[in-house]
Amino acid sequence: MIYLDNAATTKPFKAAVDRAYEFINEKYYNPSAMYKEGFALQSELKKARSALLLPIADQNAFELVFTSCGTESDNQAIFSFARRGNIITTEGEHSAVLAPFAELKTRGTAQVRYAPLEKDGRVNVEKLLESVDEKTCFVSVMHVNNEMGAINDVNDIAKRVKQKNPRVIFHSDGVQAYGKILFKLGKEVDLYSISAHKIGGLKGVGALIKRKTLTLPPYIYGGGQETGKRSGTENTFGIMQFAYAAEEKFSRLAEKNEQIKGYREKLWQALNKTVYTRLSDVAGSPYILTISAVGLRGAILQQMANDQGLLVGTGSACSSNSKRRFSAVVLACGYDEKTADGMLRVSFSDDTTEEEIDRAASILNAIGEDLKRRMK
Ligand code: PLP
């Protein structure tokens, strides 16, 4: 089986799982326990926080709150700070951001504004800035788009947003960026969401990185863990494994970026251009290639690929009542419904091999040509 749906989730790093195993087997104590085993765990968690923060943030300026996933981190950021006036996000966001924004609109908490996208999936920065005014309290712009791989320059966007209104709280969903592209958090970004299972960590662990000077109102109340910012007994095994996986990813990030980019381009070169059109840009994340078999159904191609042992993602899917849906992100980039319907997302991991790329290209070509013939 060839797994090229790594933007959905990645295989956990075995070495990181093995290293963290002692937190199941031996150090299974409650980190809040008031005896030395509990204190020792608190200090292990502190080390994990540093290991996760260090590669992307100045530890004097930023701290990290553990959560259960990227979705929770996004929700915590939004429900904690998007409280009045108007709040702004982009048409390209993941549902972990779009759904809380929609909920705040329904509640009448704040006026909601959406900035449009460029053809490659980046936000249209000028339009975003036009919508910022003196009543804007919160802006959320994703770092790497999960469907198009487009990279937003969130440091620059945050800076420009704050030049217009310095009171804005700026959040970025960094779930597809953390550990996958080289980046340092700028001082104008207030909040940044990350998730373990996208980088060889386990499902069920995430974090919200926050500027230290910002007071984060809790989203989950209870026993006061995470200095009261996020209650609930910490998932010590998952957190330690996340930290080890991040160490692994960041230690070879630049080298892997080059290699994976090479594979992405090799795959695109090998694809039959009479079947596939490229949607994602060369400048986007090396880990994502978004293509469309315009006029064909991506969901059918996904099933055909599955039958051949190739797993890829798709932006178009059928809802339970069989109504056709298209990738809202691809449509927001200005593509038509046929292009959105034919979309496939091929996403790589550090373990992807050249042989897998060759094999994936021949499977995608064979099924695309076959379906096209049958559609005539
Ligand atoms: N944000 C983006 C951009 C994502 O791609 C995802 C996962 O697909 C999430 C948020 C949600 O993360 P999690 O699965 O950890 O809740």
Side-chain angles (χ1 to χ4, degrees), residues 40-66:
L41 269 185
Q42 276 301 340
S43 95
E44 297 280 6
L45 289 181
K46 199 171 163 199
K47 279 190 225 153
R49 262 179 242 286
S50 280
L52 288 160
L53 262 182
L54 192 67
I56 69 155
D58 170 3
Q59 301 209 49
N60 294 319
F62 289 94
E63 61 191 358
L64 178 148
V65 178
F66 286 116

PDB file of all heavy atoms in Angstrom, residues 40-66:
ATOM      1  N   ALA A  40       8.284  15.037  39.167  1.00  0.00           N
ATOM      2  CA  ALA A  40       9.228  14.656  38.103  1.00  0.00           C
ATOM      3  C   ALA A  40       8.529  14.729  36.740  1.00  0.00           C
ATOM      4  O   ALA A  40       9.110  15.177  35.744  1.00  0.00           O
ATOM      5  CB  ALA A  40       9.765  13.249  38.351  1.00  0.00           C
ATOM      6  N   LEU A  41       7.262  14.306  36.730  1.00  0.00           N
ATOM      7  CA  LEU A  41       6.523  14.362  35.456  1.00  0.00           C
ATOM      8  C   LEU A  41       6.297  15.800  35.011  1.00  0.00           C
ATOM      9  O   LEU A  41       6.364  16.105  33.817  1.00  0.00           O
ATOM     10  CB  LEU A  41       5.166  13.677  35.615  1.00  0.00           C
ATOM     11  CG  LEU A  41       5.126  12.195  35.280  1.00  0.00           C
ATOM     12  CD1 LEU A  41       3.697  11.686  35.366  1.00  0.00           C
ATOM     13  CD2 LEU A  41       5.654  11.934  33.875  1.00  0.00           C
ATOM     14  N   GLN A  42       6.024  16.675  35.975  1.00  0.00           N
ATOM     15  CA  GLN A  42       5.857  18.096  35.622  1.00  0.00           C
ATOM     16  C   GLN A  42       7.120  18.608  34.943  1.00  0.00           C
ATOM     17  O   GLN A  42       7.052  19.368  33.974  1.00  0.00           O
ATOM     18  CB  GLN A  42       5.563  18.942  36.875  1.00  0.00           C
ATOM     19  CG  GLN A  42       4.107  18.965  37.298  1.00  0.00           C
ATOM     20  CD  GLN A  42       3.174  19.505  36.202  1.00  0.00           C
ATOM     21  OE1 GLN A  42       3.586  20.187  35.271  1.00  0.00           O
ATOM     22  NE2 GLN A  42       1.898  19.152  36.313  1.00  0.00           N
ATOM     23  N   SER A  43       8.264  18.174  35.455  1.00  0.00           N
ATOM     24  CA  SER A  43       9.489  18.689  34.834  1.00  0.00           C
ATOM     25  C   SER A  43       9.725  18.057  33.448  1.00  0.00           C
ATOM     26  O   SER A  43      10.268  18.698  32.559  1.00  0.00           O
ATOM     27  CB  SER A  43      10.672  18.596  35.795  1.00  0.00           C
ATOM     28  OG  SER A  43      11.396  17.448  35.583  1.00  0.00           O
ATOM     29  N   GLU A  44       9.263  16.805  33.255  1.00  0.00           N
ATOM     30  CA  GLU A  44       9.335  16.203  31.901  1.00  0.00           C
ATOM     31  C   GLU A  44       8.428  16.989  30.942  1.00  0.00           C
ATOM     32  O   GLU A  44       8.779  17.239  29.787  1.00  0.00           O
ATOM     33  CB  GLU A  44       8.866  14.744  31.930  1.00  0.00           C
ATOM     34  CG  GLU A  44       9.706  13.818  32.786  1.00  0.00           C
ATOM     35  CD  GLU A  44      10.978  13.348  32.102  1.00  0.00           C
ATOM     36  OE1 GLU A  44      11.297  13.819  30.996  1.00  0.00           O
ATOM     37  OE2 GLU A  44      11.667  12.500  32.692  1.00  0.00           O
ATOM     38  N   LEU A  45       7.250  17.369  31.428  1.00  0.00           N
ATOM     39  CA  LEU A  45       6.326  18.132  30.579  1.00  0.00           C
ATOM     40  C   LEU A  45       6.931  19.494  30.215  1.00  0.00           C
ATOM     41  O   LEU A  45       6.751  19.984  29.101  1.00  0.00           O
ATOM     42  CB  LEU A  45       4.974  18.331  31.275  1.00  0.00           C
ATOM     43  CG  LEU A  45       4.095  17.084  31.413  1.00  0.00           C
ATOM     44  CD1 LEU A  45       2.774  17.424  32.108  1.00  0.00           C
ATOM     45  CD2 LEU A  45       3.785  16.460  30.046  1.00  0.00           C
ATOM     46  N   LYS A  46       7.648  20.060  31.175  1.00  0.00           N
ATOM     47  CA  LYS A  46       8.298  21.357  30.921  1.00  0.00           C
ATOM     48  C   LYS A  46       9.335  21.213  29.799  1.00  0.00           C
ATOM     49  O   LYS A  46       9.423  22.044  28.899  1.00  0.00           O
ATOM     50  CB  LYS A  46       8.969  21.821  32.216  1.00  0.00           C
ATOM     51  CG  LYS A  46       9.262  23.276  32.246  1.00  0.00           C
ATOM     52  CD  LYS A  46       9.710  23.694  33.635  1.00  0.00           C
ATOM     53  CE  LYS A  46      10.386  25.048  33.529  1.00  0.00           C
ATOM     54  NZ  LYS A  46      11.218  25.354  34.648  1.00  0.00           N
ATOM     55  N   LYS A  47      10.076  20.089  29.852  1.00  0.00           N
ATOM     56  CA  LYS A  47      11.075  19.841  28.795  1.00  0.00           C
ATOM     57  C   LYS A  47      10.390  19.681  27.440  1.00  0.00           C
ATOM     58  O   LYS A  47      10.862  20.161  26.413  1.00  0.00           O
ATOM     59  CB  LYS A  47      11.870  18.567  29.111  1.00  0.00           C
ATOM     60  CG  LYS A  47      12.972  18.780  30.110  1.00  0.00           C
ATOM     61  CD  LYS A  47      13.859  17.533  30.182  1.00  0.00           C
ATOM     62  CE  LYS A  47      14.157  17.175  31.617  1.00  0.00           C
ATOM     63  NZ  LYS A  47      14.439  15.776  31.874  1.00  0.00           N
ATOM     64  N   ALA A  48       9.238  18.973  27.454  1.00  0.00           N
ATOM     65  CA  ALA A  48       8.502  18.765  26.193  1.00  0.00           C
ATOM     66  C   ALA A  48       8.025  20.098  25.622  1.00  0.00           C
ATOM     67  O   ALA A  48       8.099  20.344  24.414  1.00  0.00           O
ATOM     68  CB  ALA A  48       7.314  17.828  26.430  1.00  0.00           C
ATOM     69  N   ARG A  49       7.539  20.977  26.509  1.00  0.00           N
ATOM     70  CA  ARG A  49       7.105  22.310  26.070  1.00  0.00           C
ATOM     71  C   ARG A  49       8.241  23.032  25.353  1.00  0.00           C
ATOM     72  O   ARG A  49       8.054  23.595  24.271  1.00  0.00           O
ATOM     73  CB  ARG A  49       6.755  23.159  27.301  1.00  0.00           C
ATOM     74  CG  ARG A  49       5.325  23.219  27.645  1.00  0.00           C
ATOM     75  CD  ARG A  49       5.135  24.078  28.897  1.00  0.00           C
ATOM     76  NE  ARG A  49       4.565  23.286  29.953  1.00  0.00           N
ATOM     77  CZ  ARG A  49       3.295  22.898  29.984  1.00  0.00           C
ATOM     78  NH1 ARG A  49       2.485  23.256  29.046  1.00  0.00           N
ATOM     79  NH2 ARG A  49       2.842  22.156  30.950  1.00  0.00           N
ATOM     80  N   SER A  50       9.430  22.986  25.980  1.00  0.00           N
ATOM     81  CA  SER A  50      10.589  23.662  25.386  1.00  0.00           C
ATOM     82  C   SER A  50      10.946  23.055  24.043  1.00  0.00           C
ATOM     83  O   SER A  50      11.220  23.778  23.084  1.00  0.00           O
ATOM     84  CB  SER A  50      11.818  23.489  26.270  1.00  0.00           C
ATOM     85  OG  SER A  50      11.775  24.357  27.295  1.00  0.00           O
ATOM     86  N   ALA A  51      10.931  21.718  23.997  1.00  0.00           N
ATOM     87  CA  ALA A  51      11.319  21.046  22.744  1.00  0.00           C
ATOM     88  C   ALA A  51      10.356  21.421  21.614  1.00  0.00           C
ATOM     89  O   ALA A  51      10.767  21.545  20.454  1.00  0.00           O
ATOM     90  CB  ALA A  51      11.331  19.535  22.953  1.00  0.00           C
ATOM     91  N   LEU A  52       9.091  21.615  21.946  1.00  0.00           N
ATOM     92  CA  LEU A  52       8.099  21.949  20.916  1.00  0.00           C
ATOM     93  C   LEU A  52       8.166  23.421  20.507  1.00  0.00           C
ATOM     94  O   LEU A  52       7.950  23.766  19.342  1.00  0.00           O
ATOM     95  CB  LEU A  52       6.694  21.597  21.408  1.00  0.00           C
ATOM     96  CG  LEU A  52       6.406  20.095  21.473  1.00  0.00           C
ATOM     97  CD1 LEU A  52       5.238  19.785  22.402  1.00  0.00           C
ATOM     98  CD2 LEU A  52       6.127  19.542  20.075  1.00  0.00           C
ATOM     99  N   LEU A  53       8.491  24.271  21.489  1.00  0.00           N
ATOM    100  CA  LEU A  53       8.516  25.715  21.209  1.00  0.00           C
ATOM    101  C   LEU A  53       9.796  26.158  20.512  1.00  0.00           C
ATOM    102  O   LEU A  53       9.764  26.978  19.594  1.00  0.00           O
ATOM    103  CB  LEU A  53       8.433  26.478  22.530  1.00  0.00           C
ATOM    104  CG  LEU A  53       7.096  27.006  23.004  1.00  0.00           C
ATOM    105  CD1 LEU A  53       7.285  27.761  24.314  1.00  0.00           C
ATOM    106  CD2 LEU A  53       6.468  27.939  21.967  1.00  0.00           C
ATOM    107  N   LEU A  54      10.909  25.615  21.027  1.00  0.00           N
ATOM    108  CA  LEU A  54      12.237  26.082  20.615  1.00  0.00           C
ATOM    109  C   LEU A  54      12.425  26.255  19.101  1.00  0.00           C
ATOM    110  O   LEU A  54      12.945  27.286  18.661  1.00  0.00           O
ATOM    111  CB  LEU A  54      13.298  25.124  21.187  1.00  0.00           C
ATOM    112  CG  LEU A  54      14.741  25.593  21.102  1.00  0.00           C
ATOM    113  CD1 LEU A  54      14.943  26.800  22.022  1.00  0.00           C
ATOM    114  CD2 LEU A  54      15.678  24.453  21.526  1.00  0.00           C
ATOM    115  N   PRO A  55      12.014  25.273  18.279  1.00  0.00           N
ATOM    116  CA  PRO A  55      12.310  25.413  16.844  1.00  0.00           C
ATOM    117  C   PRO A  55      11.592  26.565  16.159  1.00  0.00           C
ATOM    118  O   PRO A  55      12.024  27.016  15.100  1.00  0.00           O
ATOM    119  CB  PRO A  55      11.826  24.078  16.249  1.00  0.00           C
ATOM    120  CG  PRO A  55      11.558  23.180  17.394  1.00  0.00           C
ATOM    121  CD  PRO A  55      11.316  24.024  18.588  1.00  0.00           C
ATOM    122  N   ILE A  56      10.479  27.042  16.753  1.00  0.00           N
ATOM    123  CA  ILE A  56       9.753  28.095  16.011  1.00  0.00           C
ATOM    124  C   ILE A  56       9.548  29.390  16.796  1.00  0.00           C
ATOM    125  O   ILE A  56       9.040  30.359  16.234  1.00  0.00           O
ATOM    126  CB  ILE A  56       8.370  27.609  15.484  1.00  0.00           C
ATOM    127  CG1 ILE A  56       7.369  27.363  16.626  1.00  0.00           C
ATOM    128  CG2 ILE A  56       8.482  26.408  14.588  1.00  0.00           C
ATOM    129  CD1 ILE A  56       5.925  27.502  16.131  1.00  0.00           C
ATOM    130  N   ALA A  57       9.881  29.402  18.082  1.00  0.00           N
ATOM    131  CA  ALA A  57       9.512  30.593  18.850  1.00  0.00           C
ATOM    132  C   ALA A  57      10.562  30.991  19.871  1.00  0.00           C
ATOM    133  O   ALA A  57      11.281  30.150  20.406  1.00  0.00           O
ATOM    134  CB  ALA A  57       8.184  30.342  19.569  1.00  0.00           C
ATOM    135  N   ASP A  58      10.623  32.289  20.145  1.00  0.00           N
ATOM    136  CA  ASP A  58      11.456  32.827  21.208  1.00  0.00           C
ATOM    137  C   ASP A  58      10.766  32.477  22.530  1.00  0.00           C
ATOM    138  O   ASP A  58       9.655  32.927  22.803  1.00  0.00           O
ATOM    139  CB  ASP A  58      11.541  34.352  20.998  1.00  0.00           C
ATOM    140  CG  ASP A  58      12.185  35.053  22.174  1.00  0.00           C
ATOM    141  OD1 ASP A  58      12.621  34.367  23.126  1.00  0.00           O
ATOM    142  OD2 ASP A  58      12.241  36.296  22.135  1.00  0.00           O
ATOM    143  N   GLN A  59      11.469  31.688  23.343  1.00  0.00           N
ATOM    144  CA  GLN A  59      10.821  31.198  24.569  1.00  0.00           C
ATOM    145  C   GLN A  59      10.636  32.275  25.629  1.00  0.00           C
ATOM    146  O   GLN A  59       9.920  32.071  26.601  1.00  0.00           O
ATOM    147  CB  GLN A  59      11.608  30.030  25.154  1.00  0.00           C
ATOM    148  CG  GLN A  59      11.699  28.912  24.152  1.00  0.00           C
ATOM    149  CD  GLN A  59      11.803  27.555  24.813  1.00  0.00           C
ATOM    150  OE1 GLN A  59      11.033  27.221  25.695  1.00  0.00           O
ATOM    151  NE2 GLN A  59      12.775  26.778  24.384  1.00  0.00           N
ATOM    152  N   ASN A  60      11.272  33.425  25.435  1.00  0.00           N
ATOM    153  CA  ASN A  60      11.006  34.532  26.357  1.00  0.00           C
ATOM    154  C   ASN A  60       9.676  35.197  26.020  1.00  0.00           C
ATOM    155  O   ASN A  60       9.042  35.800  26.873  1.00  0.00           O
ATOM    156  CB  ASN A  60      12.108  35.600  26.262  1.00  0.00           C
ATOM    157  CG  ASN A  60      13.415  35.038  26.758  1.00  0.00           C
ATOM    158  OD1 ASN A  60      13.441  34.314  27.754  1.00  0.00           O
ATOM    159  ND2 ASN A  60      14.498  35.340  26.049  1.00  0.00           N
ATOM    160  N   ALA A  61       9.286  35.050  24.776  1.00  0.00           N
ATOM    161  CA  ALA A  61       8.073  35.755  24.333  1.00  0.00           C
ATOM    162  C   ALA A  61       6.840  34.848  24.245  1.00  0.00           C
ATOM    163  O   ALA A  61       5.716  35.325  24.367  1.00  0.00           O
ATOM    164  CB  ALA A  61       8.329  36.403  22.968  1.00  0.00           C
ATOM    165  N   PHE A  62       7.058  33.547  24.024  1.00  0.00           N
ATOM    166  CA  PHE A  62       5.920  32.643  23.799  1.00  0.00           C
ATOM    167  C   PHE A  62       5.900  31.489  24.799  1.00  0.00           C
ATOM    168  O   PHE A  62       6.944  31.055  25.279  1.00  0.00           O
ATOM    169  CB  PHE A  62       5.972  32.053  22.379  1.00  0.00           C
ATOM    170  CG  PHE A  62       5.658  33.056  21.299  1.00  0.00           C
ATOM    171  CD1 PHE A  62       6.680  33.753  20.665  1.00  0.00           C
ATOM    172  CD2 PHE A  62       4.348  33.300  20.915  1.00  0.00           C
ATOM    173  CE1 PHE A  62       6.402  34.685  19.669  1.00  0.00           C
ATOM    174  CE2 PHE A  62       4.061  34.227  19.919  1.00  0.00           C
ATOM    175  CZ  PHE A  62       5.088  34.923  19.291  1.00  0.00           C
ATOM    176  N   GLU A  63       4.692  30.993  25.064  1.00  0.00           N
ATOM    177  CA  GLU A  63       4.545  29.774  25.869  1.00  0.00           C
ATOM    178  C   GLU A  63       3.525  28.873  25.181  1.00  0.00           C
ATOM    179  O   GLU A  63       2.877  29.283  24.208  1.00  0.00           O
ATOM    180  CB  GLU A  63       4.121  30.121  27.296  1.00  0.00           C
ATOM    181  CG  GLU A  63       2.798  30.841  27.381  1.00  0.00           C
ATOM    182  CD  GLU A  63       2.536  31.396  28.777  1.00  0.00           C
ATOM    183  OE1 GLU A  63       3.364  31.186  29.684  1.00  0.00           O
ATOM    184  OE2 GLU A  63       1.494  32.048  28.945  1.00  0.00           O
ATOM    185  N   LEU A  64       3.368  27.664  25.735  1.00  0.00           N
ATOM    186  CA  LEU A  64       2.563  26.678  25.028  1.00  0.00           C
ATOM    187  C   LEU A  64       1.564  26.016  25.986  1.00  0.00           C
ATOM    188  O   LEU A  64       1.931  25.658  27.103  1.00  0.00           O
ATOM    189  CB  LEU A  64       3.557  25.681  24.450  1.00  0.00           C
ATOM    190  CG  LEU A  64       3.137  24.476  23.678  1.00  0.00           C
ATOM    191  CD1 LEU A  64       4.201  24.158  22.640  1.00  0.00           C
ATOM    192  CD2 LEU A  64       2.961  23.291  24.574  1.00  0.00           C
ATOM    193  N   VAL A  65       0.330  25.896  25.532  1.00  0.00           N
ATOM    194  CA  VAL A  65      -0.711  25.244  26.329  1.00  0.00           C
ATOM    195  C   VAL A  65      -1.097  23.953  25.605  1.00  0.00           C
ATOM    196  O   VAL A  65      -1.476  23.998  24.430  1.00  0.00           O
ATOM    197  CB  VAL A  65      -1.960  26.162  26.435  1.00  0.00           C
ATOM    198  CG1 VAL A  65      -3.076  25.484  27.207  1.00  0.00           C
ATOM    199  CG2 VAL A  65      -1.593  27.496  27.065  1.00  0.00           C
ATOM    200  N   PHE A  66      -0.996  22.811  26.284  1.00  0.00           N
ATOM    201  CA  PHE A  66      -1.368  21.557  25.624  1.00  0.00           C
ATOM    202  C   PHE A  66      -2.878  21.428  25.517  1.00  0.00           C
ATOM    203  O   PHE A  66      -3.619  21.811  26.440  1.00  0.00           O
ATOM    204  CB  PHE A  66      -0.786  20.363  26.390  1.00  0.00           C
ATOM    205  CG  PHE A  66       0.692  20.223  26.194  1.00  0.00           C
ATOM    206  CD1 PHE A  66       1.571  20.364  27.262  1.00  0.00           C
ATOM    207  CD2 PHE A  66       1.215  19.976  24.927  1.00  0.00           C
ATOM    208  CE1 PHE A  66       2.944  20.261  27.080  1.00  0.00           C
ATOM    209  CE2 PHE A  66       2.589  19.863  24.735  1.00  0.00           C
ATOM    210  CZ  PHE A  66       3.450  20.010  25.811  1.00  0.00           C
TER     211      PHE A  66
END
